Amino acid sequence: MPMTMGIAGSMFAWILGIVAATAAVGIAMQRWLTGMSGGRPRDVADPLTTARERYARGDISKAEFDQIAERLVQTENPRL
């Protein structure tokens, strides 16, 4: 006689499969968004780099750049 799992066993197997598939999709999406680095999403630039680029293009003045840079330093090192 073949062994059968019964209705409860079948439901458990389906639920387990769905949970495993959901976890795999979640992990894949997280790795794709962070570029496998575990850090920031790959499309997000460093704020200081963005400020430098804006200053270089002439979008902001030297005073505005200095203010942004100072604020970023204070945010990263609040005890300074």
Side-chain angles (χ1 to χ4, degrees):
M1 276 188 157
M3 294 182 62
T4 59
M5 294 190 304
I7 292 177
S10 263
M11 287 177 60
F12 177 74
W14 273 101
I15 291 170
L16 185 62
I18 291 170
V19 168
T22 302
V25 168
I27 290 169
M29 286 181 63
Q30 179 188 17
R31 288 186 177 178
W32 178 72
L33 289 172
T34 59
M36 296 292 288
S37 67
R40 298 178 189 207
R42 55 183 140 172
D43 292 340
V44 176
D46 173 50
L48 190 55
T49 301
T50 302
R52 285 185 183 123
E53 290 170 355
R54 289 179 63 200
Y55 176 62
R57 284 192 309 260
D59 294 344
I60 59 175
S61 68
K62 172 93 167 93
E64 289 171 312
F65 172 78
D66 290 340
Q67 184 181 20
I68 291 168
E70 181 65 28
R71 221 178 293 146
L72 288 171
V73 169
Q74 287 176 354
T75 302
E76 289 179 4
N77 302 313
R79 295 179 189 232
L80 292 179

